[in-house]
Every structure is written in structure tokens, then in C-alpha cells.
Amino acid sequence: MQLWDPGQVFAILCVLAVIFAAAWIFFRGNVGRCDSAVDLSGKTVIVTGANTGIGFMTTLDLAKRNARVILACRNREKSEKAKEEIVAKTGNTNVVVRLLDLCSLKSVRDFAKQIIEEEPRLDILINNAGVLNEGRRKTLTDEGLETLFAANYFGPFLLTNLLLDLLKKSAPSRIINVSSVINKFATIDFENLNAEKSFKHHHQYADSKLAVILFTRQLAKKLEGTGVTANVLHPGTVYTDLFKNLFFLLRYPLLTFIRIFCKTAEEGAQTSLYLALSDDVKDISGKYFVDCQLMESGANPLSRNMEVAEKLWDVSEEITGLSSKKKN
């Protein structure tokens, strides 16, 4: 007994082809690309999480432009391998590794101190590193901070503030923060920033990415007139190591989908590069970008609430110890 006639099979294949094409166009039809040809000779750049994924491809491009590039990473062995590959591919030997664990405020302070002592200038800071920790239980750092929020927000917040004087000294200079479209589903609960009341990893991740946008907007406000700009971006859905800790029944189907439809790490790096290099944004600050385009509508409306942004800044100063430093 024939269950499917040739006409039905053809119709099903046509429907699948249309679905495939529509998904391809939706996810890849508007991949932005940085077309700047700027040379960065004499400029210094820091990229966090530079040894893999988007961070590696960002660093590779900047090294090709003759920048002095500092790979700010927590794993020395992986970072040294990344450095060797970058040097081999670009011929730029002015590439260095400096250890930085964004989960540790002490590590952030040690890193910033070393940079300030060793580097006469800092032209571009790209806060690229992030963790998802999907599927893991709540964990705390040695300093009592929830690990995910510390790595994605408190660490970059402290690092950026500690390097601000060097960035101002080197102006015009730029700060680029990497967020995620997941910020749309986030909120800011000041009573639960450190998961004091409850911990749901996907909520914590989304909230940390919203916090990055609020931080960027308040930072831009504070930097007005200094020659330093700060912008934030969603890199797109990219195949990177970020999903390596997902539960395996979710991980493999998701990674298969991402490999087919979503961006490569090189494509995911383009908006970071655009904000770091393009003359189009040299006077723009405090804005949200997607695919090398200003996309304020793509950010959570709460991210434009400057009262929340100011309160988050004040709370973050207390948590990271910046407020006590100011008093001293």
C-alpha cells in the first residue's frame, strides 16, 4: 500500500524548502559588516575573552590593522595559543596576553593596575567576554558574588571604571560593550542582583545583559565632553563556545540549528569592529547597535530608563567597592 504519492512528497519538500529559505533569510539576510579600512598603528586595544569565538575574531582583525592588542583572558594556556595563531596570521608581534578573571574583583583590580603601570595609552576597550552557565546551579565567587552576574556585569563595570583615566588620557577613545538580544526579556530587581532571593539561570543571564546596556547609557552620560564614547551591541546569534554548558539534550539540537542558520564568529565580530573603528559612530555614545546599525528599538524599553540606570550605577559602585575608593 502506497502511503505517499509523488505529488505529496514533492509538496512536502517544497514546503520544507520554503521554511528553510525563510529561516535563512530571517537569521542571515541582514548580516552587517564593518567596511572600515582604518589603520591602528600606534593604538592600543584591550579585548576581554579574546582567546575564542567572537573575541578571537575581533582581536585577529584588530591585529591585522597593526594595533597593539592585549588579550585579556583567564586561561593562560589557551590565550597563548590564540596569541601565537594571531601573530602567525597577521605578522603583528605586538600582541600580548594579560590574565583577567572577570568573576574576581581582585583579578580585575590586579589587571587594571598592571595595564595602568605598563601601558601609556588605551584607545579601545572591548568588553566582549561573557558566560552563560546554562544548566548550572547558582555558584558564588570567593567575594560572595553570583558568578554569572559577576562575569557579565560587575567585572566589566569595575574594569571599565578603573581604566577610565587612561582612556580619557588617550582620547578620542572608545568603549564597546557586548550585550545580547535576550535583554528584551529581562528586568532589574535591585533586591536580587546577586540572586539573594532566587536564582534562575536564564533570568540571571538576561538581567545581566540588560544591566550592561543600562551601564553603557549611564557611562556615556558621565563621559560627555571627555572625548570617550561608549556604545553597546547585540552580536547576533553566533556559533561559539557560549553554549557548551547547556544540557546535552538541548545543546546538540540547538548547536545544529545555529551552525546551519546563524552567524560565524567572524560575522558576529563585525558590529564590535564597526563600533571600534568606523567614523560613522565617532561622535555617537550611549546607543544600542545590531548588525552595524543603530537599533534602539531592539533594546528593552527599560534600558532607556535613566533613573534605573543611575540607581544601578550607584548600587554597582557599592558592590564593587568603587564608592569606597572615591571616599579614600
Side-chain angles (χ1 to χ4, degrees):
M1 179 179 177
Q2 187 175 355
L3 295 177
W4 301 93
D5 64 42
Q8 289 176 316
V9 173
F10 178 76
I12 291 171
L13 291 176
C14 286
V15 170
L16 291 175
V18 169
I19 293 173
F20 187 96
W24 181 271
I25 292 170
F26 179 80
F27 285 102
R28 299 185 59 83
N30 191 32
V31 176
R33 184 158 291 276
C34 175
D35 59 5
S36 172
V38 67
D39 182 86
L40 294 177
S41 297
K43 305 292 186 181
T44 299
V45 183
I46 292 175
V47 183
T48 66
N51 65 300
T52 188
I54 295 172
F56 176 82
M57 298 308 301
T58 302
T59 306
L60 179 65
D61 186 284
L62 296 169
K64 288 178 180 177
R65 299 170 188 270
N66 303 308
R68 172 173 172 78
V69 185
I70 300 171
L71 287 75
C73 311
R74 61 182 177 181
N75 186 302
R76 181 177 293 279
E77 182 179 358
K78 291 180 180 179
S79 302
E80 292 292 347
K81 287 182 179 179
K83 170 190 169 181
E84 291 172 6
E85 184 176 349
I86 290 169
V87 171
K89 288 183 175 180
T90 66
N92 183 351
T93 59
N94 201 6
V95 180
V96 297
V97 171
R98 295 290 180 263
L99 293 184
L100 170 66
D101 182 356
L102 288 166
C103 291
S104 166
L105 300 183
K106 180 182 184 304
S107 175
V108 172
R109 291 189 181 93
D110 290 344
F111 173 87
K113 182 174 183 292
Q114 184 178 16
I115 294 299
I116 292 167
E117 290 176 349
E118 295 179 351
E119 304 296 332
R121 64 181 303 115
L122 176 59
D123 301 274
I124 303 170
L125 170 63
I126 303 180
N127 287 310
N128 164 82
V131 297
L132 182 57
N133 280 353
E134 196 77 20
R136 293 186 177 182
R137 295 180 179 178
K138 173 184 172 180
T139 57
L140 299 179
T141 70
D142 292 340
E143 295 149 322
L145 298 179
E146 190 278 310
T147 303
L148 192 153
F149 219 88
N152 290 348
Y153 174 67
F154 288 126
F157 173 87
L158 178 61
L159 174 65
T160 303
N161 274 282
L162 293 177
L163 295 177
L164 277 184
D165 286 344
L166 187 57
L167 284 156
K168 291 176 183 177
K169 174 185 171 184
S170 309
S173 51
R174 304 186 189 189
I175 300 166
I176 296 94
N177 294 327
V178 177
S179 181
S180 168
V181 70
I182 199 70
N183 80 84
K184 285 185 174 183
F185 308 101
T187 187
I188 296 295
D189 182 352
F190 288 103
E191 303 301 318
N192 199 49
L193 286 181
N194 207 34
E196 296 93 339
K197 296 190 300 184
S198 64
F199 175 80
K200 292 183 178 179
H201 48 74
H202 52 287
H203 289 167
Q204 197 75 353
Y205 178 74
D207 293 354
S208 70
K209 291 303 184 178
L210 173 57
V212 169
I213 304 178
L214 287 161
F215 159 52
T216 305
R217 298 201 194 280
Q218 184 68 8
L219 177 63
K221 182 179 177 181
K222 289 178 175 289
L223 289 173
E224 289 177 0
T226 66
V228 184
T229 61
N231 288 295
V232 61
L233 67 109
H234 165 53
T237 304
V238 181
Y239 178 71
T240 71
D241 290 339
L242 191 64
F243 300 98
K244 65 184 179 181
N245 293 316
L246 278 170
F247 181 57
F248 77 97
L249 289 178
L250 295 175
R251 181 168 69 245
Y252 292 111
L254 179 59
L255 291 182
T256 299
F257 176 87
I258 290 174
R259 284 182 178 181
I260 295 173
F261 293 109
C262 298
K263 293 181 181 180
T264 64
E266 187 269 340
E267 290 170 335
Q270 294 305 306
T271 306
S272 293
L273 292 168
Y274 174 75
L275 292 175
L277 305 170
S278 178
D279 281 342
D280 295 345
V281 293
K282 65 180 180 180
D283 298 318
I284 295 177
S285 193
K287 301 300 183 181
Y288 180 80
F289 288 78
V290 181
D291 285 319
C292 302
Q293 297 180 36
L294 182 63
M295 196 70 68
E296 286 292 287
S297 61
N300 190 322
L302 183 59
S303 75
R304 293 184 285 277
N305 186 321
M306 294 309 295
E307 291 184 2
V308 174
E310 184 175 359
K311 182 176 180 180
L312 178 62
W313 183 285
D314 292 341
V315 170
S316 301
E317 281 191 334
E318 291 290 337
I319 290 175
T320 61
L322 270 177
S323 56
S324 60
K325 179 181 178 182
K326 286 183 178 181
K327 292 175 184 178
N328 294 334

